[in-house]
């Protein structure tokens, strides 16, 4: 079966069964082309909640499928590839953070969306990379424990000097591995290109960028900019998507190593198998976890309005 034949089979199955397919922006082009919605993780969960579909398939990683389930508890939610996890989301667990909270009881616990549903149950508010600064600025507490990404936490803390941030050593191993040497090499190779990076990169890399923002923010900046060349400092699939979408501009990867193996674990055959009922994994969360995890997401929505 060719890629086109498989894509057509997927389109017919999801239409016939009334299934909504979500694809994170880090998925391959062959997957995003057949998805009903493509974008950042939280954005996708909001879109899924608004759809009339009773069944949703997430082409992404486990915490993203869990977030879909939290916002749509009455829907049946599948993760297309059960092995697709997130090293950052799995770095810290409920017991660890409960212990830290006991040591620092006057700190509000802010968790990045890239955390497990279980960990969200003991956090005060959730944030995305695009709303983290706004939400943290509106938290009544002066003291904030930001988890798990220390690079994103530092990016937020630098913009809110009136707050007192405590950061733990966690984060995205793919983004965090990028160095100033990578930046220097990319700028030397493409001296006329603007550098756009994700705040999960280390502070020195972020400081060298022309723009720092979420995945969707990077894509929107590139779309609106009058510049013709860009170095993309996030998962390499974004440079590929941008080149498809804006062929009159040039997009270069900051490093050939900016590849998330977990995002790449999901394939077009995985999605087809899930639609055919012979693959994927249904995401189930107990009522208590759903309720408590939803609370910190609702607080994010309230503070970001």
């Amino acid at each position: 079966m060719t890629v086109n034949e498989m894509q057509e089979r997927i389109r017919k199955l999801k239409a016939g069964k009334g299934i909504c397919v979500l694809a994170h922006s880090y998925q391959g082009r062959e997957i995003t082309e057949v998805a009903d919605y493509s974008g950042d993780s939280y954005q996708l969960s909001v879109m899924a909640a608004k759809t009339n579909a009773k069944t949703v398939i997430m082409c992404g990683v486990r915490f993203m499928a869990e977030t879909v389930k939290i916002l749509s508890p009455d829907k049946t939610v599948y993760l297309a590839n059960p092995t697709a996890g997130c090293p950052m989301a799995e770095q810290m667990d409920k017991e660890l953070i409960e212990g830290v909270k006991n040591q620092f009881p006057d700190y509000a616990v802010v968790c990045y969306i890239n955390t497990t549903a279980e960990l969200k149950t003991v956090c005060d508010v959730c944030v995305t990379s695009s709303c983290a600064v706004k939400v943290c600025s509106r938290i009544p507490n002066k003291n904030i424990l930001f988890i798990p990404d220390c690079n994103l936490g530092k990016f937020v803390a630098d913009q809110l000097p009136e707050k007192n941030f405590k950061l733990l050593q966690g984060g995205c191993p793919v983004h965090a591995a990028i160095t100033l040497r990578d930046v220097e090499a990319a700028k030397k190779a493409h001296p006329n290109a603007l550098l756009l990076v994700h705040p999960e990169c280390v502070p020195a890399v972020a400081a060298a960028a022309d723009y720092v923002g979420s995945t969707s923010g990077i894509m929107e900046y590139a779309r609106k900019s009058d510049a013709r060349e860009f170095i993309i400092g996030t998962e390499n699939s974004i440079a590929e998507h941008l080149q498809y979408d804006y062929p009159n501009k040039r997009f270069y990867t900051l490093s050939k190593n900016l590849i998330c193996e977990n995002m790449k674990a999901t394939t077009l055959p995985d999605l087809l198998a899930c639609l055919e009922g012979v693959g994927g994994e249904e995401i189930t969360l107990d009522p208590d976890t759903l309720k408590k995890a939803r609370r910190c997401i609702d607080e994010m929505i309230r503070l970001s309005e």
Side-chain angles (χ1 to χ4, degrees):
M1 189 180 294
T2 67
V3 170
N4 286 340
E5 289 171 341
M6 192 171 292
Q7 287 179 321
E8 191 56 33
R9 171 73 174 155
I10 287 169
R11 290 188 182 101
K12 288 180 179 177
L13 281 172
K14 69 187 184 78
K17 295 183 176 183
I19 295 175
C20 175
V21 173
L22 308 174
H24 190 269
S25 298
Y26 292 168
Q27 295 295 301
R29 192 71 175 187
E30 72 282 2
I31 294 177
T32 61
E33 284 180 344
V34 296
D36 295 286
Y37 301 105
S38 179
D40 287 346
S41 59
Y42 178 67
Q43 177 189 19
L44 290 175
S45 63
V46 172
M47 291 173 176
K50 293 178 179 179
T51 183
N52 292 325
K54 300 298 184 184
T55 300
V56 178
I57 298 175
M58 169 58 78
C59 296
V61 297
R62 185 169 295 274
F63 85 81
M64 297 177 185
E66 288 183 343
T67 306
V68 173
K69 186 65 177 179
I70 292 167
L71 294 189
S72 302
D74 296 329
K75 295 183 188 294
T76 301
V77 179
Y78 289 95
L79 179 61
N81 186 318
T83 70
C86 173
M88 172 162 45
E90 297 161 3
Q91 283 169 349
M92 300 175 188
D93 58 23
K94 179 180 176 180
E95 289 70 29
L96 171 66
I97 300 306
E98 283 180 327
V100 177
K101 286 176 66 175
N102 289 334
Q103 295 179 52
F104 304 98
D106 59 334
Y107 278 71
V109 182
V110 177
C111 69
Y112 192 18
I113 193 75
N114 299 42
T115 45
T116 65
E118 182 182 53
L119 183 50
K120 287 182 176 72
T121 64
V122 295
C123 297
D124 297 302
V125 60
C126 185
V127 296
T128 66
S129 53
S130 59
C131 77
V133 173
K134 177 186 285 187
V135 170
C136 288
S137 71
R138 295 179 173 179
I139 293 174
N141 303 58
K142 180 179 180 179
N143 297 326
I144 294 174
L145 171 65
F146 191 101
I147 61 170
D149 195 297
C150 60
N151 293 323
L152 175 59
K154 177 67 164 56
F155 174 76
V156 176
D158 285 346
Q159 298 180 64
L160 299 173
E162 71 277 13
K163 298 282 188 175
N164 180 30
F165 280 78
K166 183 170 292 296
L167 308 175
L168 303 183
Q169 291 302 307
C172 172
V174 177
H175 283 104
I178 300 304
T179 66
L180 269 180
R181 183 176 295 180
D182 295 317
V183 171
E184 291 164 358
K187 286 189 170 184
K188 182 178 180 180
H190 312 290
N192 298 320
L194 296 181
L195 175 61
L196 318 180
V197 308
H198 198 283
E200 292 174 15
C201 292
V202 298
V205 170
D210 297 288
Y211 173 80
V212 182
S214 66
T215 303
S216 59
I218 288 173
M219 298 181 81
E220 184 68 3
Y221 185 96
R223 182 184 73 82
K224 290 182 175 180
S225 176
D226 292 330
R228 310 306 298 176
E229 297 182 70
F230 304 87
I231 300 166
I232 304 300
T234 190
E235 219 283 339
N236 286 344
S237 55
I238 298 304
E240 179 184 359
H241 292 320
L242 286 167
Q243 197 64 75
Y244 277 114
D245 294 338
Y246 311 107
N248 293 329
K249 297 182 178 183
R250 298 299 301 164
F251 300 93
Y252 314 107
T253 58
L254 176 53
S255 167
K256 66 180 180 181
N257 297 319
L258 264 169
I259 298 174
C260 178
E261 295 179 354
N262 281 277
M263 282 292 185
K264 293 298 185 284
T266 302
T267 64
L268 200 63
D270 287 335
L271 174 55
L272 178 58
C274 192
L275 282 162
E276 290 177 333
V278 294
E281 177 187 335
E282 182 178 354
I283 300 298
T284 58
L285 297 171
D286 64 82
D288 189 55
T289 298
L290 284 169
K291 179 181 178 180
K292 291 180 178 178
R294 175 66 185 258
R295 187 169 55 203
C296 75
I297 295 177
D298 285 341
E299 184 66 359
M300 172 182 71
I301 295 170
R302 186 185 74 82
L303 291 172
S304 61
E305 286 179 344

